[in-house]
Amino acid sequence: MLAPQGRLFGTNGVRFIPGVTGDMSFALKLAESIGTYLAEGEILVGRDGRLTGQMMLSSVTAGLMSSGRNIAEADMVPTPALQFSTKALGYRGSVMITASHNPSQYNGVKVMGPEGVEVSRLDEQKIEKIFHDGSTNKANWKDVGTARPEPSVIRTYLNGIMSRVNVRLIQERKLKVVVDPGNGAQSLAAPYLLEALGCKVITVNSIIDGSFPGRGPEPTPENLRDLVVAVRASNADLGVAYDGDGDRSIFCDEGGNLYWGDQSGSLIADYLLERNPNSTVVTPVSSSQIIEAVAKKRGAKVIWTRVGSVDVSRTIMERKALMGFEENGGGFFPLHVPTRDGGMTTAMMLEVIATRGSPLSRLMAAAFPRFFQTKTKVPIDPSRVKEIMKAIERQGDGKVEKVDGLKIWLDEKTWALIRPSGTEPIVRVFVESETKEKADSTSKKFVKAIKAA
Ligand code: MG
């Protein structure tokens, strides 16, 4: 068996390169361990559009059935559609075969409980223990699980989103929207959602292709040029791009300006907090401080978490928060499902634009003070992470927060987040300040310090 070394679960489920860092014996044994952990009930299984998806689906369903679990196959669906339907259709849990925004050679597995949310870090460890102990449940021939198709996941998902927004108001505006699913799984849902919301829809990269020929599976401002060009050329009101499995959304305004997820998330938060004062918003420490300005204006509370969607989801549930968001484009609306959902976030953005009746560029400019961010990464020797972080901490002369990595406040409006990656031999350096010059110089200072440490 070819299996990943060390911990199986990373920040966002299990990830590996089929045939290189893990094989289908591994996928099958992992699924047996998941089935053993879930212990009872019917499990919903889906996949995104990756080239290894069908093969992985076969191995994962075999493993789940061999552990005695009955399964329902949703086949190719966006991750948030599977998560929403897990709860809405009453499944015991679900397994999504996806590597989200990772390059095309990767695939992976996410495990959800009955509420459609990824299982906790503790439960991931339980699954790993079952895997390493070899204490998987192996059903004999008459007790193995059954399989049936579940064709209603996308319909259930779209209906769920429509039930949470002001459909008639959005429809009346007849907004023109360019949608770029990046050849990923939202190709199956987002264009139909927009159409149902009365939008004029223009698609870019909307044919599912696991080699991601259009712009790759990760929606970053640098690789969304096609979206920007299409928005400008068609005089659209809005552009939206998703990651490979459709749980993250990045927006572009009518002028072709792209916004990070913490900017669009803060705009939606401002809108929802106006209607739900004294609520709580959850976001990781990597997000912009603009949400604090929004929360102050609306009498709301911000809870800062570690980076990672599972941490945001779990905190939203524990603190009964109104919503959550991430700088990478994750938007969480717990009345719908407390996991990130690119489709739900899009519908909310449309409702904000429709209700406020202004172009997105103007809404963004009016909503909060302007801040400048830099995001960079520094390659490091992974065996020296602790030393490097200690050296950086000694240099910080301001307030230091340690929710995740080191968040060093240099003055009231300037912070640097120094955070080692969980999966790659790099340290990420995020800086935010009031001026571009100060953000750039602060970033340079920390990059130099990391290299010298
Ligand atoms: Mg994703």
Side-chain angles (χ1 to χ4, degrees):
M1 181 174 70
L2 182 59
Q5 298 299 301
R7 289 283 321 260
L8 302 178
F9 284 86
T11 320
N12 248 306
V14 179
R15 299 272 167 91
F16 65 102
I17 305 175
V20 178
T21 59
D23 60 16
M24 290 306 101
S25 312
F26 164 65
L28 195 143
K29 189 179 169 191
L30 175 66
E32 276 183 348
S33 310
I34 294 166
T36 304
Y37 156 78
L38 289 170
E40 59 181 13
E42 197 176 20
I43 312 302
L44 185 61
V45 187
R47 65 174 178 111
D48 67 15
R50 286 171 186 269
L51 301 174
T52 51
Q54 182 63 58
M55 175 180 79
M56 285 278 289
L57 184 68
S58 301
S59 305
V60 166
T61 53
L64 289 168
M65 290 164 77
S66 139
S67 72
R69 300 282 67 75
N70 294 337
I71 59 140
E73 271 188 46
D75 202 359
M76 208 190 287
V77 292
T79 297
L82 190 89
Q83 291 174 318
F84 177 76
S85 297
T86 304
K87 184 173 185 201
L89 299 173
Y91 286 97
R92 164 66 182 87
S94 55
V95 176
M96 181 72 191
I97 296 159
T98 178
S100 185
H101 63 279
N102 286 151
S104 48
Q105 65 269 33
Y106 284 87
N107 213 329
V109 166
K110 265 177 184 259
V111 184
M112 273 68 64
E115 66 292 312
V117 179
E118 291 96 333
V119 297
S120 67
R121 298 295 184 207
L122 199 67
D123 288 339
E124 289 177 353
Q125 287 169 23
K126 286 182 191 162
I127 295 169
E128 285 177 345
K129 186 165 185 306
I130 295 168
F131 179 92
H132 290 301
D133 284 357
S135 57
T136 52
N137 196 18
K138 292 194 193 293
N140 68 26
W141 63 271
K142 61 182 184 337
D143 297 324
V144 296
T146 58
R148 67 178 179 90
E150 172 52 270
S152 66
V153 164
I154 288 180
R155 190 174 66 230
T156 303
Y157 171 61
L158 296 182
N159 288 341
I161 294 173
M162 304 275 283
S163 73
R164 293 284 169 204
V165 291
N166 190 336
V167 173
R168 194 187 294 174
L169 180 72
I170 299 169
Q171 284 172 337
E172 277 169 9
R173 301 282 181 201
K174 296 185 173 49
L175 296 163
K176 191 188 275 188
V177 181
V178 180
V179 54
D180 175 0
N183 305 106
Q186 272 296 358
S187 305
L188 297 170
Y192 307 98
L193 172 68
L194 292 166
E195 209 168 68
L197 290 170
C199 299
K200 289 182 205 158
V201 185
I202 295 160
T203 58
V204 178
N205 303 321
S206 70
I207 293 167
I208 293 198
D209 186 332
S211 63
F212 302 109
R215 50 123 172 121
E218 178 154 37
T220 59
E222 306 86 63
N223 65 16
L224 297 179
R225 303 322 300 172
D226 289 352
L227 178 73
V228 169
V229 167
V231 164
R232 287 189 184 140
S234 61
N235 280 320
D237 298 293
L238 180 71
V240 58
Y242 303 100
D243 74 325
D245 65 330
D247 56 358
R248 286 161 49 184
S249 48
I250 292 289
F251 295 96
C252 130
D253 68 24
E254 77 290 351
N257 303 298
L258 290 155
Y259 299 95
W260 284 100
D262 46 355
Q263 296 173 296
S264 50
S266 295
L267 182 75
I268 297 172
D270 183 47
Y271 172 82
L272 285 177
L273 288 172
E274 190 182 2
R275 284 153 181 74
N276 305 272
N278 306 314
S279 301
T280 300
V281 174
V282 177
T283 197
V285 288
S286 51
S287 287
S288 169
Q289 60 197 293
I290 54 181
I291 187 58
E292 287 287 7
V294 169
K296 200 172 169 195
K297 182 171 76 174
R298 302 294 182 200
K301 184 174 168 49
V302 182
I303 298 177
W304 299 90
T305 68
R306 291 175 60 82
V307 177
S309 74
V310 183
D311 296 279
V312 178
S313 288
R314 292 274 148 198
T315 307
I316 285 174
M317 293 200 295
E318 278 158 26
R319 308 294 288 264
K320 300 196 172 16
L322 177 67
M323 69 166 286
F325 62 84
E326 300 171 301
E327 54 84 34
N328 65 16
F332 305 65
F333 302 92
L335 287 177
H336 168 67
V337 64
T339 57
R340 58 187 179 193
D341 182 347
M344 185 66 217
T345 307
T346 306
M348 280 308 314
M349 180 57 93
L350 290 171
E351 180 171 314
V352 173
I353 294 171
T355 305
R356 300 259 199 248
S358 288
L360 180 58
S361 64
R362 216 177 303 158
L363 295 178
M364 281 291 187
F368 17 74
R370 183 92 172 90
F371 282 100
F372 295 84
Q373 294 176 325
T374 67
K375 301 179 188 197
T376 183
K377 50 190 172 186
V378 187
I380 50 142
D381 171 358
S383 67
R384 295 195 59 249
V385 168
K386 274 191 186 155
E387 258 170 86
I388 294 169
M389 296 302 281
K390 276 221 174 90
I392 299 300
E393 189 179 349
R394 274 196 300 271
Q395 288 182 21
D397 47 3
K399 188 178 70 165
V400 179
E401 293 169 10
K402 293 185 185 173
V403 177
D404 196 353
L406 297 170
K407 190 169 188 174
I408 302 168
W409 287 86
L410 296 131
D411 61 47
E412 234 170 66
K413 304 260 168 86
T414 307
W415 56 262
L417 178 69
I418 319 293
R419 200 173 67 85
S421 160
T423 51
E424 295 169 81
I426 54 166
V427 171
R428 294 184 197 282
V429 180
F430 283 16
V431 175
E432 180 172 62
S433 190
E434 272 180 304
T435 66
K436 189 175 178 302
E437 293 69 35
K438 188 151 192 193
D440 286 342
S441 64
T442 305
S443 177
K444 277 197 192 110
K445 185 180 113 184
F446 278 102
V447 168
K448 200 169 151 197
I450 291 165
K451 285 181 179 162

